[in-house]
Amino acid sequence: MTPVYMAAGDIPTPHIEYGRLAPVLIVLGAACVGVLVEALAPRAQRYGLQVLVSVVGLVAAFAWTIALGIGDQPHHVAAMGAVGVDGPTLFIQGTILVLALMSMLLIAERRHEDSPFTAQASTVPGSPEERESLVAGLVQTEIYPLVLFAVGGMLIFPAANDLLTMFVALEVMSLPLYLLCGLARRRRLLSQEAAVKYFLLGAFSSAFFLYGTAMLYGFAGSVRLSEIAAAISKQGGDEPLLLAGVALLSVGLLFKMGAAPFQAWKPDVYQGAPTALTALMASCTLVAAVGGVLRVFYVGLETLRWDWRPMMWAVAILTMLVGAIVAITQTDVKRMLAYSSIAHGGFLLTGVIATNKAGLSSTLFYLAAYGFTTVGAFAVITMVRDAGGEAGHLSRWAGLGKRQPLVAGTFAFFLLAFAGIPLTSGFTGKFAVFQAAMAGGAMPLVIVGVVSSAIAAFFYVRVIVLMFFSEPLADGPTVSFSPATATAVAVGAFVTLVLGVIPAPALHLAQSAANQLFVR
Amino acid sequence: MTTMNAVLAAGGPELHPQAAEGVQSVAWLLIALPLAGAAILLLSGRRTNKWGHLLGTAMSLGAFVVGLLAFFQMLGQDAEGRSRLVHLFPFISAGSLKVDMNLLVDPLSISFVLLITGVGSLIHIYSIGYMSHDPDRRRFFAYLNLFVAAMLLLVLADNYVGLYIGWEGVGLASYLLIGFWQYKPSAATAAKKAFIVNRVGDFGLSVAIMVMFATFGSLSYQDVFGQASQASQGTITAIGLLLLLGACGKSAQLPLQSWLLDAMEGPTPVSALIHAATMVTAGVYLIVRSHAIFELSPDAQLLVTIVGVATLLAGAIIGCAKDDIKKALAGSTMSQIGYMVLAAGLGRPGYVFAIAHLIAHGFFKAGMFLGAGSVMHAMNDDVNMRKYGGLRKVMPITFATFGLGYLAIIGFPGLSGWWTKDGIIDAAFEKGGTSGQILGWLALIGAGITAYYMSRLMFMTFFGEPRWDEDVHPHESPKVMTVPLILLAIGSVAGGAFLILGDRFAKFLAPVVGEPEAAHKLVTPYTAIVFALMVVGVGLAYVQYLRRPVPRTAPAGNPAVTFARKDLYGDALNESLLMRPGQWLTRLTVYFDNRGVDGLVNGLAAFIGGTSGRVRRVQTGFVRSYALSMFVGAALVVGALFLVRI
Amino acid sequence: MTAADLVIVLLGVVAVGAGVLVVATRQLVHAALWLVVSFGALAGSYLVLTAEFVAWVQVLIYVGAVVVLLLFGIMLTRAPIGRSEDLDSGNRIVALVVAVATAGVLVTTLVRGFRSAYVPIKDRVGSGSSHTLGGSLFQTWVLPFEALSVLLLAALIGAIVLSRTDIGGAGPEPEEEEPEPRRRPAAPRGTVARRLGTARRRATPDDEDTIVLSRVDEEI
């Protein structure tokens, strides 16, 4: 297959479309600049420089993505076929970049305390060294390049046109996240526990992904999605190698999405990680993971859809129900949102299962809508603070609506959007996804979806009730305002409202992105 | 007329609304005005405390004026020109999914518009007085305005998505208003109950919308009803049943009735506006609006009538046993909506009476609720009728207006309830067959019970000896409260005759729901029976509650009374059918989750210490058990894929 | 059966046998050393399959680096080196079932998948050479290769973040630096009680909160 080159030094230069890869390259470049800043700049200036580099990098990458979306047509694969830069990918990449920018506002927040991240990661929690580092006001500015590395991985992941690139991207996006999870400033033990769990289970799922890749290679003789698709249509789908490969690959992908029964890590990690990072994971990582799922199932395995559909049906149903039901009993607000995120993963899967254009465009729209709402909601969580950091326990939120009606009202609005109440983006998104699933003949799935969103509404409303219909605690949490976080909240709320009231333009964008489908 | 009949024979009038002109083209103002009011009042904060309630009332009145102008414009047009579309904007437009946000101004929606804005404005005015001492009056008016806007969107939308948005909106407003006095734990609980029970109904409606979209590819009334006859019988029946489920939730019909009685925890004007006059009738509106679907499915229609009859009896029985004046009225509301649902299920002869009874009921029930509010105001917010008595002398205006509403609801000849309720009973008998006879007789019995429990309420409150608490000094309410009462009383007296005499309303509604085959006969053999039963009911109540003294505490009563007092064990039923399994499920998840959470804490301890073997086993077992669950999941995924092959 | 077949079967037996011993031995260091044998046998198989580059990479990275890293880890964390009963888990049976089941599924799948895919080794000579791999790596797979370098850089930064103690400028007494990675369970004895205390302290208010919240639940 691969030509054998006998003479030394005659490897032809690979053809790389730098223009099409630019958003990824810019983000990764900014990360490298960040590393240099860390090495060369004086300590006092690092924070400012790092934030500047990160924001400029993300904005520039986003601008380039838009330029690609407008000008670069028709789309095709780039970098020797390793990535496909096409409508859906650009939409997903753009979404990731904007959401990352919003999360960056939270990550760089310094008003609440010196940083949402630990002062010095190497100190033992509770040790005198830790106290010293806190008093000295230290900040670990390395987190900015790490975040950018993760975002870079997220940008490659949904674009990857072969399973090998996808695997590498998966690791590039996961590894920094494993690390950052353990760097919370408060409740560090919880945070470190979360990091270990995320790392171990993530490694475990990577093994599944890799095994699946190997088996698919065994079946098709290639890891390129298009060639796998071609092999499936040529040989039929009877091979055990193919089916086992698809199954194991799905496990790896579904783990990243947090679909049941691979959801166990999500609540622990979302709860333990610094909230700013949880916002990044809940929005950008989910978008990237679903983007990868879309590409694998729409490009590589589309011809096999009659085989994987029943399995995905089961996973989607289980995911929606587990997310919605278990969330009811949660007492920690981040944990609750983690289960809610699991349930939303299930809703997204119903759009994936449709395997038609409507499914693709509605999933894209849902991703964007959900991402903005999520970042906004987590941003609100960072604002509601006790003496010991964020007020995570739900009982601390009792009566917040009476003391801080604006903040509580905004949070209630986000919750209503999660619940899919009309005039929020959640309603439009769910409506679009469900109708696509319906058109794809997945009526029972839609019914389960509607039932579980009805169940889910219960616990969202419970929080609203708690905030507005309970007496405020005497020593209740305070709300810490800051321009950056408030901007993130405002953008989240604004987009949630706009996508709920006049969703047509965004739906059009998603639709025109989906129109060209994925390139092969 | 012949062409009209041909159209009707083909399955109902086709909707081909023309674009609106004149006042109707600004029908969006109907929604925009109260919505703007709500927004201003909610966003402006305390600055508007002084005049906020006036602004809210003005917005509602403004909407009423727009509605009236649109109504008069409509009267000037012929039957075909009475349905008008107001194009707003394309709401969702993506691929095959196209939803345009348009308003449909037609006789059916304008009837509701007038009811909502008219009665709504009166209740706004009344609330100025009723809520004058409440520190949160501004917020109350904001919610009222929000409710009016959502309700108007519900009835004016030309498609099911718009209807659904309004549907959720009124639910939200109702939820906010029931829980308005949130410092009362019972109010907060009632608010939650209303919300959750309504979710069940909303679920039915949302699935119905999905099925309709999947079947017809569109959600506008025009497309759905136009293509309804092409869909399979099973699909149509399924849509009908799902719509009925939605209607049951919103209109407190069996088996989703339990929230309405608890909803009486809200301020009384709310009970009058939302839980008597408007929102709870949304289910009737939904059924009548979707008549093209129900007419194609006799099964669904039959179930609608059964639900209606069952609820009208259940509500009446509950009404007999309640000592809380508002809850007795709530039982009566359930019962009266049962009549409307019954009528809506009877097909073309029933629609007119369903809507006419709805409008008449809007007047007399709102009047009675506001009257009850006036009484409560006088009695220091006590709702127990056993502590009332003899109030007719101290509250003459309230007594007179309440009395007229009472006469209207029991169907005293000539008052509005008589015209509309008799029409429903006649229509039931006219249905023919055994089912028609059963429905008719049950509705008749219901009318008798209505006379009994309403008389009981009347006698216990206004007649007999005063049984007041010592510190209570009843007095008549201020003008701002009594004037709306008087206006509503006029409506309860004359509304029915105005609508039914000369088939005026039937002709007005004909472009939407079709014209009944036969003209309505004013006097039928059943008229006499209804009257006789009414007299028996009143007489029985007279013997029990006026001739004998009423004890201040409720007597123990026989099992039947207990049964009724406990809302026919509706809560117990709900509890055993819905809540218990739910709680078990919750406990189960708590158990598993506790293992998770505790495991986390324990795991943390072990993670740090690493000394205690037992705890360490928990810790290592913990991450490992996650991994094991993933492994089992992976095995299931592999298995599922291979199973498909077999 | 050719000589190559025979060799590969023998190497396979060695690899599997060593693998079993890795999990069966009661001594941590022995487990690591058996791993060396297993990896080595695997590298031998690669050689037989003419993938000489992969074989030497296997030796260099797995035998050379990974196992050495493991041994260093054992040494630095002062884990017990002799026979230790702790190495036996109570879940032996479950683990065995899972392992056998996995192996069964994989072997079945592979055998069924590749039964007919027979390629004589002679035709493939050179396809596993460093030259071929290099060509492929720097041509077709150049993007994932570069992405991998980014991954390594990120891992490097991460390691620095986790281990750097002189972040505040003047490093506080480097000799007191804790030798083990931060996330290892085995911590110095002195801090155990204190850390347990932290965990408990946090748990207490949560319990009270739970009571408040369960009241809310009952209302619903």
Side-chain angles (χ1 to χ4, degrees), chain A residues 377-512:
Chain A
F378 279 108
V380 174
I381 292 177
T382 62
M383 292 166 73
V384 180
R385 305 182 75 84
D386 266 336
E390 287 150 13
H393 203 284
L394 270 177
S395 64
R396 305 289 300 158
W397 289 62
L400 193 71
K402 301 205 172 146
R403 295 194 303 169
Q404 295 287 349
L406 190 64
V407 173
T410 316
F411 195 61
F413 179 65
F414 288 134
L415 290 178
L416 289 178
F418 285 140
I421 301 292
L423 296 187
T424 62
S425 60
F427 171 76
T428 328
K430 278 208 182 82
F431 197 89
V433 169
F434 286 161
Q435 75 92 10
M438 201 98 141
M443 178 79 185
L445 209 56
V446 172
I447 292 179
V448 173
V450 176
V451 170
S452 51
S453 55
I455 300 173
F458 179 82
F459 62 81
Y460 297 125
V461 169
R462 202 183 64 156
V463 177
I464 298 176
V465 168
L466 194 71
M467 288 194 301
F468 287 94
F469 294 152
S470 301
E471 281 311 303
L473 299 173
D475 59 336
T478 52
V479 170
S480 157
F481 275 101
S482 85
T485 308
T487 309
V489 173
V491 171
F494 178 74
V495 174
T496 305
L497 185 69
V498 166
L499 295 189
V501 179
I502 28 174
L507 275 170
H508 267 297
L509 187 65
Q511 203 186 348
S512 63

Side-chain angles (χ1 to χ4, degrees), chain C residues 71-141:
Chain C
L71 288 170
F72 263 95
I74 294 169
M75 189 178 85
L76 289 176
T77 53
R78 297 170 217 155
I81 289 181
R83 281 180 79 82
S84 161
E85 296 305 315
D86 283 358
L87 280 183
D88 203 359
S89 157
N91 298 340
R92 213 180 335 182
I93 307 296
V94 182
L96 189 69
V97 170
V98 168
V100 170
T102 315
V105 169
L106 289 176
V107 168
T108 321
T109 317
L110 289 175
V111 168
R112 285 189 58 183
F114 286 111
R115 182 179 290 157
S116 53
Y118 190 81
V119 182
I121 291 173
K122 276 184 206 128
D123 303 351
R124 305 281 291 171
V125 169
S127 64
S129 70
S130 58
H131 192 106
T132 324
L133 278 176
S136 166
L137 203 56
F138 288 104
Q139 238 245 325
T140 324
W141 304 109

Side-chain angles (χ1 to χ4, degrees), chain B residues 64-116:
Chain B
F64 179 59
V65 171
V66 176
L68 263 188
L69 291 174
F71 171 67
F72 286 126
Q73 190 191 344
M74 182 183 294
L75 285 184
Q77 281 154 344
D78 55 359
E80 268 126 56
R82 284 189 180 172
S83 294
R84 298 283 179 156
L85 267 189
V86 183
H87 293 284
L88 292 188
F89 59 92
F91 178 53
I92 300 173
S93 149
S96 50
L97 179 66
K98 278 203 177 54
V99 179
D100 284 338
M101 204 35 87
N102 296 335
L103 300 182
L104 176 63
V105 183
D106 69 356
L108 181 61
S109 62
I110 206 80
S111 309
F112 270 88
V113 166
L114 291 181
L115 176 75
I116 296 160

Side-chain angles (χ1 to χ4, degrees), chain A residues 35-269:
Chain A
V35 174
L36 290 178
V37 167
E38 205 53 42
L40 303 175
R43 185 173 309 279
Q45 294 169 16
R46 277 186 209 160
Y47 169 79
L49 281 172
Q50 290 287 17
V51 173
L52 184 75
V53 167
S54 310
V55 170
V56 168
L58 290 173
V59 169
F62 181 62
W64 202 297
T65 311
I66 290 178
L68 281 179
I70 296 168
D72 186 49
Q73 283 176 357
H75 302 302
H76 37 78
V77 291
M80 307 300 289
V83 293
V85 181
D86 45 32
T89 307
L90 287 172
F91 187 93
I92 289 169
Q93 289 183 334
T95 311
I96 292 174
L97 285 166
V98 177
L99 294 175
L101 203 57
M102 279 171 71
S103 308
M104 194 53 103
L105 290 176
L106 304 182
I107 290 168
E109 183 60 71
R110 297 220 281 192
R111 283 290 177 89
H112 309 318
E113 43 197 343
D114 286 335
S115 159
F117 291 87
T118 174
Q120 190 173 354
S122 58
T123 53
V124 176
S127 65
E129 293 85 36
E130 185 194 33
R131 221 160 301 133
E132 273 167 32
S133 65
L134 281 172
V135 171
L138 302 182
V139 211
Q140 290 234 256
T141 37
E142 293 93 342
I143 52 173
Y144 298 95
L146 283 175
V147 168
L148 287 178
F149 280 129
V151 172
M154 292 173 200
L155 294 181
I156 307 176
F157 190 67
N161 199 31
D162 61 64
L163 295 173
L164 203 62
T165 311
M166 198 172 249
F167 176 73
V168 174
L170 179 82
E171 292 303 321
V172 173
M173 97 178 162
S174 302
L175 195 88
L177 290 180
Y178 297 147
L179 248 157
L180 291 165
C181 272
L183 299 185
R185 192 175 191 87
R186 310 274 185 161
R187 295 175 151 210
R188 288 184 58 201
L189 290 175
L190 209 62
S191 168
Q192 290 172 0
E193 173 105 7
V196 179
K197 273 183 192 156
Y198 192 21
F199 171 66
L200 289 178
L201 295 174
F204 195 45
S205 83
S206 294
F208 278 106
F209 187 98
L210 216 49
Y211 232 123
T213 307
M215 290 194 170
L216 286 178
Y217 180 79
F219 167 75
S222 168
V223 288
R224 196 135 285 171
L225 291 173
S226 50
E227 284 173 33
I228 292 173
I232 291 172
S233 37
K234 200 167 72 193
Q235 309 179 23
D238 254 339
E239 291 270 349
L241 260 186
L242 169 69
L243 294 179
V246 170
L248 296 181
L249 190 69
S250 314
V251 171
L253 288 168
L254 292 171
F255 173 87
K256 273 292 153 212
M257 261 188 78
F262 315 108
Q263 88 295 359
W265 60 275
K266 229 176 186 178
D268 289 4
V269 173

